[in-house]
Amino acid sequence: MEEPMGRRFGIGYALAPKKQASFVQVSLINLAKERGIDLIKIDLEKPLIDQGPFDCILHKIYSPSWKQQLSDYAVKNPNVPIIDSPNAIERLHNRISMLEVVTDINFECEKVSFGIPKQIVVYDAKAVKELNLEGEGLKLPVIAKPLVADGSAKSHKMSLVFNKDGLSKLKPPVVLQEFVNHGGVIFKVYVVGDYVKCVKRKSLPDVNEEKLGSSEGSLSFSQVSNLNSVERADDKYYSMMDLEDEKTELPPISFLVNIASGLRGAMGLRLFNFDLIRDVRIGNRYLVIDINYFPGYAKMPCYERVLTDFFWDVLNNNDDNKMDLNLQSSNMGTCEMEVRKLVSNSECEEDDGATNLPVSPIKREEKESSIQV
Ligand SMILES: Nc1ncnc2c1ncn2[C@@H]1O[C@H](COP(=O)(O)OP(=O)(O)OP(=O)(O)O)[C@@H](O)[C@H]1O
Ligand SMILES: O=P(O)(O)O[C@H]1[C@H](OP(=O)(O)O)[C@@H](OP(=O)(O)O)[C@@H](O)[C@@H](O)[C@@H]1OP(=O)(O)O
Ligand SMILES: [Mg+2]
Ligand SMILES: [Mg+2]
């Protein structure tokens, strides 16, 4: 572990109250402090330019006035890194531009391929009525997602549309995305600078022909991979699925690293996660279905250490370090592997599977094995 060498750093953070509660935990504050890094809350009631000094700014606030404040601050403090640029984050606020970036990445991969599901956008109610899905190259069922992904509850409200009747309930502007059977498991790939971590979560179950014929027009849901166990048990659709997914194989590690670094470079973002599903029809084809800015890192095992290492690197202009690969396994099904810089060799406790709960505090259980590739 690096010594603070007498110099202390201050990171100003601007987060919504819920995000602050889950992310800025005492364990993170203390670990950062040990490394000479103080996490300082930015007062959103006061002008940013009058606050500080900060050595770095961390934020997940989307208002135009905040964007203006950051811009004014950057003019006055050109050497203070802002994580991340509001313009770069904005690309993720639209579910079309969000996934366009995936189609821009290219790398050689022998055994697996990746892409995005077919999708179209419908802007108004009239267009919904006149919609010819087949003509658009889309097959039912489709997932209807609000075009805007700005973090509001509304932006997470989705529906699985089984037939034409289901289309009539849609509220444009909406993205219609091909529903791809993927065995009810989703891979959440967390990226923190050049650190990459993949965890498995429950997803929507596959839809078969029988279900397609007998179902109601559509079924609404929200943040299905983010439900806690009580919510899951109550959820009508969720309860239909097989909860045993321990056997699901993870995507190859080098493949995930390539996608992660491709996305990081193309988007100019350092803090994000992406959701990946494996197309059961093809098997070795993976689809990126969602990218989130500054996701729920506190649900990630060892998030304190990972984030503190990242802060250290940013503050010391060290964030281009060569990556090493570390494979980490767990028998809990939530943490299977990680690729990380070997900044810290300290033993780290892992999440015990309660990953979907708002994390305060997380109950943890120690189990880690790692090999260097
Ligand atoms: N094309 C698809 N095919 C199959 N299932 C999908 C598809 N798109 C989304 N899903 C399912 O719907 C869930 C929600 O979709 P998505 O991740 O796009 O929404 P979100 O509200 O942005 O989620 P998050 O909480 O990760 O931000 C996914 O976790 C997955 O279970
Ligand atoms: O807390 P926030 O508002 O940032 O919520 C984010 C949430 O994290 P949380 O679960 O800790 O709340 C993320 O969960 P994971 O992907 O990591 O499971 C994901 O749902 C993001 O899409 C959310 O961001 P939003 O899209 O709403 O901006
Ligand atoms: Mg998602
Ligand atoms: Mg999302």
Side-chain angles (χ1 to χ4, degrees), residues 47 63 161 169 195 223 302:
S63 68
V161 179
K169 292 181 207 151
Y195 174 99
Q223 295 203 283
C302 317

PDB file of all heavy atoms in Angstrom, residues 47 63 161 169 195 223 302:
ATOM      1  N   PRO A  47     -22.408  28.002  -4.281  1.00  0.00           N
ATOM      2  CA  PRO A  47     -21.685  27.885  -5.551  1.00  0.00           C
ATOM      3  C   PRO A  47     -20.436  27.014  -5.392  1.00  0.00           C
ATOM      4  O   PRO A  47     -19.683  27.176  -4.424  1.00  0.00           O
ATOM      5  CB  PRO A  47     -21.290  29.334  -5.876  1.00  0.00           C
ATOM      6  CG  PRO A  47     -22.167  30.191  -5.021  1.00  0.00           C
ATOM      7  CD  PRO A  47     -22.528  29.385  -3.809  1.00  0.00           C
ATOM      8  N   SER A  63     -28.285  18.173 -13.182  1.00  0.00           N
ATOM      9  CA  SER A  63     -29.022  19.393 -13.531  1.00  0.00           C
ATOM     10  C   SER A  63     -28.183  20.327 -14.391  1.00  0.00           C
ATOM     11  O   SER A  63     -26.949  20.355 -14.290  1.00  0.00           O
ATOM     12  CB  SER A  63     -29.446  20.119 -12.252  1.00  0.00           C
ATOM     13  OG  SER A  63     -28.291  20.614 -11.606  1.00  0.00           O
ATOM     14  N   VAL A 161     -43.310  -6.670 -24.029  1.00  0.00           N
ATOM     15  CA  VAL A 161     -44.493  -6.672 -24.894  1.00  0.00           C
ATOM     16  C   VAL A 161     -44.553  -7.997 -25.645  1.00  0.00           C
ATOM     17  O   VAL A 161     -43.629  -8.344 -26.384  1.00  0.00           O
ATOM     18  CB  VAL A 161     -44.432  -5.486 -25.891  1.00  0.00           C
ATOM     19  CG1 VAL A 161     -45.644  -5.487 -26.807  1.00  0.00           C
ATOM     20  CG2 VAL A 161     -44.321  -4.165 -25.137  1.00  0.00           C
ATOM     21  N   LYS A 169     -50.251   0.254 -25.135  1.00  0.00           N
ATOM     22  CA  LYS A 169     -50.081   0.901 -23.818  1.00  0.00           C
ATOM     23  C   LYS A 169     -48.776   1.699 -23.712  1.00  0.00           C
ATOM     24  O   LYS A 169     -48.499   2.325 -22.687  1.00  0.00           O
ATOM     25  CB  LYS A 169     -50.060  -0.170 -22.727  1.00  0.00           C
ATOM     26  CG  LYS A 169     -51.393  -0.871 -22.540  1.00  0.00           C
ATOM     27  CD  LYS A 169     -51.275  -1.902 -21.418  1.00  0.00           C
ATOM     28  CE  LYS A 169     -52.269  -3.027 -21.603  1.00  0.00           C
ATOM     29  NZ  LYS A 169     -51.801  -4.287 -21.039  1.00  0.00           N
ATOM     30  N   TYR A 195      -9.959  -0.981 -13.799  1.00  0.00           N
ATOM     31  CA  TYR A 195     -10.374  -2.168 -13.035  1.00  0.00           C
ATOM     32  C   TYR A 195     -11.705  -2.664 -13.602  1.00  0.00           C
ATOM     33  O   TYR A 195     -12.595  -1.868 -13.888  1.00  0.00           O
ATOM     34  CB  TYR A 195     -10.528  -1.768 -11.570  1.00  0.00           C
ATOM     35  CG  TYR A 195     -11.090  -2.827 -10.657  1.00  0.00           C
ATOM     36  CD1 TYR A 195     -10.261  -3.607  -9.859  1.00  0.00           C
ATOM     37  CD2 TYR A 195     -12.468  -3.027 -10.573  1.00  0.00           C
ATOM     38  CE1 TYR A 195     -10.787  -4.565  -9.012  1.00  0.00           C
ATOM     39  CE2 TYR A 195     -12.994  -3.989  -9.727  1.00  0.00           C
ATOM     40  CZ  TYR A 195     -12.153  -4.748  -8.950  1.00  0.00           C
ATOM     41  OH  TYR A 195     -12.673  -5.701  -8.118  1.00  0.00           O
ATOM     42  N   GLN A 223     -36.247  -2.221 -12.840  1.00  0.00           N
ATOM     43  CA  GLN A 223     -34.976  -2.582 -12.194  1.00  0.00           C
ATOM     44  C   GLN A 223     -34.955  -4.004 -11.656  1.00  0.00           C
ATOM     45  O   GLN A 223     -34.671  -4.244 -10.483  1.00  0.00           O
ATOM     46  CB  GLN A 223     -34.656  -1.567 -11.112  1.00  0.00           C
ATOM     47  CG  GLN A 223     -34.410  -0.184 -11.725  1.00  0.00           C
ATOM     48  CD  GLN A 223     -33.577   0.687 -10.829  1.00  0.00           C
ATOM     49  OE1 GLN A 223     -34.091   1.210  -9.861  1.00  0.00           O
ATOM     50  NE2 GLN A 223     -32.307   0.840 -11.134  1.00  0.00           N
ATOM     51  N   CYS A 302     -15.265  -5.563  -2.039  1.00  0.00           N
ATOM     52  CA  CYS A 302     -14.029  -4.770  -1.870  1.00  0.00           C
ATOM     53  C   CYS A 302     -14.124  -3.394  -2.509  1.00  0.00           C
ATOM     54  O   CYS A 302     -13.098  -2.853  -2.947  1.00  0.00           O
ATOM     55  CB  CYS A 302     -12.809  -5.462  -2.462  1.00  0.00           C
ATOM     56  SG  CYS A 302     -12.688  -7.185  -2.123  1.00  0.00           S
TER      57      CYS A 302
END
